[in-house]
Amino acid sequence: MTDGLLCGWRVRSAIALPELLEWQGDDRPPDLTVRLGEVDESLPQGRAISPFLQIDSTGAGLLQVPMVGRFLVRQSGDITVAPQPGASDAEIRLFLLGSVLGMVCHQRGLLPLHASSVVIDGGAVAFCGHSGMGKSTLALRFARRGHAVVSDDVCVLDNGAPARVRPSFPRLKLWRDAIEDAALSPEGLERNRRGQEKFHFLEPEAGVRDPLPLRAIFLLRRASLDAKEGIERLSAPLDIVAALEAETFRPEIGRALGAERSLFQARALLASTVPVYQLRRQPDAPPERWLDAIVATVRE
Amino acid sequence: MSGLRLIASYPKSGNTWLRAFLASHLRGGQPIDLNADLARIGTLTSRSLQDLHAGLEHADLMPPEVALLRPLTSRRIAQEQPGLYKTHDSNLVPPGAGEPAIPADAIDRAVYIVRDPRDVAISAAHHFGWSLAVSVDRMADASFRLGHSSTRLNVNVEQWVSSWSAHVESWLDAGDLHLLPLRYEDLLADPLEGFTQLCRFLELDDTRPAVGRSLEACSFSALAGQETRTGFRERYHASTAPFFRAGGAGGWRTALAPELAERLVAEQGRVMARLGYR
């Protein structure tokens, strides 16, 4: 199996990762190695960071998803996966390329935002928000218009200025409704979880290899019933830093690994160099009508 | 304060009325904005709250995993973000789990509101967009749950509700909780008395003028009027009536076909009798 490219890292994996572009860089040793193997139920001297996750003093993390498996993630980039019997490949990749990717970022002092992102005018534009706010749905609509997908769920920021995104992979997690609303069919797509009406939609031609400047961040919010929909730029840097803290992927892991300061600095850099907007819309508002407004805002 | 202070009930049993009262009461009896101030008594099962404290997206988990996760998350919320929350969870152990979603050690105290299931059936039918017969079926369904995602995301995570009778008994017969049971009908008949009890239980201002002011602010006509003017974000998308629809007791006598009322009594009668619903 050929090595893959994930956020600039060379990945050698015993598990097929069709989401990733092929590694075409130099012949360095792999940055991340994924193996199948036994993983103990708990980390010696590990402490529970969240209900299904432990971290130990070496910075190693253990994620346990009851019906999927255990993932041991060492600082060295060595990842061991012990799948549960019956777990599907897609389920294992869901957590490997989600929670585990987030943990790798925190171990390496990179800021992961909980965001989907696409390319607009040669730069990355990120959409942040809670589950259900429409991050992936917006990314899908842009992808259908020919915009490359930079990331889904975990948007990894490079260290240093100017702010740049390390592209992950062009896969979107979408509910049946979002797929059908875009006049597509979930037929033949892998399910996010067994029996779930949420699917993995891959745009393999739409991947991005190299880091991209981050041009804008949109915070997706629900407009209250009597409030107007619209896009509004946030101006106070401290408000932006606070908002971005809430949009950080698994911030508790960063805190547990002592990365609080570098995370703060990364968010402060974003706040002072990248425009951050709130996009308020009614729940279930059709995504299509926002695409042009988003592009126009980015070009302002 | 540490631990969760719960306003627990089967759906459509008066929970929102209590929350509206408390939202006003916590602001000194001022009128409330339904779409903003009810958040003072948050929904424990809100997806964003649960995701935040679980460190995982529940949308990526299967029901048995959610059932295993929820008690652990409840303990985290109790520790890191204690306070008043509403919930429709039963106090039962869902399939796949070893304990209820909100274990006793995470609960500081709980108010449990119960309402005549014949009135609940009517209210639930309007709220969820069900026929009355389906409503009566659901109330007898021992594996009834809320928040389950099918083709789209639900704003709440999964809650194991079970049948009306099982829900009521799971809370009211729990021996290990500091619990205040309230009947919706008693609150209607003598609001001042019932809400004074509520305030005392929650260690809030329980003086008559204060309780009276807050009751006035969240009267049925005030809430229904506001819903007419501005809408209510908690109204269910498939709902066939305003959220604040009637707010009364005994509506079933005219609105529920006798055979459905009889079926309800046949299925829930034992627990109804324990609560004095004849």
Side-chain angles (χ1 to χ4, degrees), chain B residues 238-257:
Chain B
S239 188
T240 57
F243 187 96
F244 300 100
R245 185 186 52 90
W252 65 271
R253 289 177 201 279
T254 50
L256 197 61

Side-chain angles (χ1 to χ4, degrees), chain A residues 14 17 29 34-35 52 129 160 177 187 199 209 232 239 297:
Chain A
L17 301 172
V34 181
R35 310 166 205 278
F52 288 172
D177 282 7
E187 193 85 12
F199 300 87
R209 291 193 164 270
E232 185 196 347
D239 290 346
T297 304

Side-chain angles (χ1 to χ4, degrees), chain B residues 189-209:
Chain B
D190 189 351
L192 203 52
E193 169 58 29
F195 282 87
T196 299
Q197 233 185 322
L198 172 74
C199 291
R200 198 169 300 144
F201 182 74
L202 294 175
E203 295 169 329
L204 303 171
D205 186 350
D206 63 350
T207 56
R208 286 180 79 91

Side-chain angles (χ1 to χ4, degrees), chain A residues 5 54 68 180 258:
Chain A
L5 170 68
Q54 297 172 30
V68 178
E180 292 178 345

